[in-house]
Amino acid sequence: MKTVEEYKKIIRPFLGDKRYEHSVCVCKSAGALAKKYGADVHKAEIAGILHDIMKDVPPEEQLKMMTRYDIVLSDVERSAQKLWHAMLGAAYLENELQITDRDILNAVRYHTTARENMTLLEKVLFIADFISDDRDYPGVEKMRRAAQISLEEAMVEGITFNILDLAGCYRPIHPDTISAYNQIILKYKQN
Ligand code: DGI
Ligand code: FE
Ligand code: FE
């Protein structure tokens, strides 16, 4: 595995200025959360810097690349273009950047939808993406407070935020998001 600085150079040509700055900020927030919650700081920073590597690739090109990596899309995935960069990103890291660490690959793969039974590193990246310094959406302060309380609290808030947001616009919700929501709600929010 290369250093964060080396990965910064690798992602730079793929990303616009804003998305590059976002990636640097998520690298930092992921490292901080990893330190706080006992995850591997180096892996968290690597996952953070790389997580949106495919985000600015034009959608038609993303589709072509996914075919190349034998990624088969479900109906929901096909309809939700925002989900592609996470699936494609993980495949790209594995096939082109020789990243072999399953936990890093899965953290990138599930950073948008979340899923059931997430590892510590997967949760760290999911939350880091929500609370990075560049974020300023309404509710970000609540999310930052939740991330200081516990990973579970932040996961509940983050997944619920996504579901409310998507349903509010009548967007399809990925089954991984639904199962992540049900699991964490049953575990932490039921009496
Ligand atoms: O890549 P980022 O912008 O940093 O953040 P992200 O990877 O979490 O992507 C967020 C976007 O993805 C946001 O516009 C909502 C969308 N999204 C997340 N989960 C789902 C989804 N869209 C659909 N249709 N279904 C989902 O389950
Ligand atoms: Fe993303
Ligand atoms: Fe992101």
Side-chain angles (χ1 to χ4, degrees):
M1 227 152 43
K2 298 180 183 355
T3 64
V4 169
E5 291 309 313
E6 289 173 304
Y7 285 124
K8 278 185 187 169
K9 292 200 190 92
I10 290 175
I11 62 163
R12 184 62 268 219
F14 284 101
L15 300 171
D17 291 353
K18 251 191 78 188
R19 187 56 49 180
Y20 177 73
E21 291 308 326
H22 166 70
S23 303
V24 172
C25 289
V26 174
C27 175
K28 184 180 149 204
S29 55
L33 285 174
K35 188 160 184 236
K36 180 173 170 67
Y37 291 111
D40 185 312
V41 173
H42 186 55
K43 283 194 199 187
E45 288 179 348
I46 303 270
I49 199 68
L50 294 173
H51 80 288
D52 276 340
I53 185 168
M54 289 292 119
K55 183 90 178 185
D56 286 349
V57 172
E60 323 76 67
E61 180 66 21
Q62 289 191 44
L63 279 177
K64 278 189 209 147
M65 292 176 78
M66 284 192 283
T67 314
R68 204 181 305 151
Y69 299 132
D70 297 321
I71 296 172
V72 178
L73 298 175
S74 67
D75 287 348
V76 169
E77 287 163 352
R78 187 165 296 282
S79 79
Q81 187 227 300
K82 297 270 181 68
L83 302 180
W84 301 352
H85 76 287
M87 309 171 74
L88 176 58
Y92 189 87
L93 300 185
E94 184 169 15
N95 288 284
E96 312 297 339
L97 300 189
Q98 284 73 50
I99 302 261
T100 53
D101 188 286
R102 276 313 338 152
D103 208 11
I104 293 180
L105 295 172
N106 284 330
V108 172
R109 168 77 179 76
Y110 296 103
H111 85 265
T112 306
T113 55
R115 66 162 168 172
E116 233 178 315
N117 301 325
M118 289 170 87
T119 65
L120 182 55
L121 189 76
E122 289 172 31
K123 290 177 192 167
V124 161
L125 181 60
F126 182 82
I127 298 160
D129 196 17
F130 262 98
I131 63 165
S132 57
D133 287 345
D134 59 303
R135 295 294 199 195
D136 63 354
Y137 57 89
V140 69
E141 287 310 329
K142 186 181 184 188
M143 209 70 77
R144 291 193 175 119
R145 280 195 297 276
Q148 290 313 307
I149 298 169
S150 74
L151 280 181
E152 287 66 39
E153 192 64 26
M155 289 304 297
V156 167
E157 290 304 327
I159 295 168
T160 305
F161 180 95
N162 277 352
I163 288 179
L164 288 172
D165 195 43
L166 293 163
C169 307
Y170 306 106
R171 302 283 304 151
I173 296 172
H174 196 282
D176 287 339
T177 307
I178 306 281
S179 43
Y181 175 80
N182 285 337
Q183 183 181 45
I184 199 150
I185 291 297
L186 288 174
K187 188 146 186 212
Y188 294 105
K189 291 286 171 182
Q190 304 299 297
N191 305 319

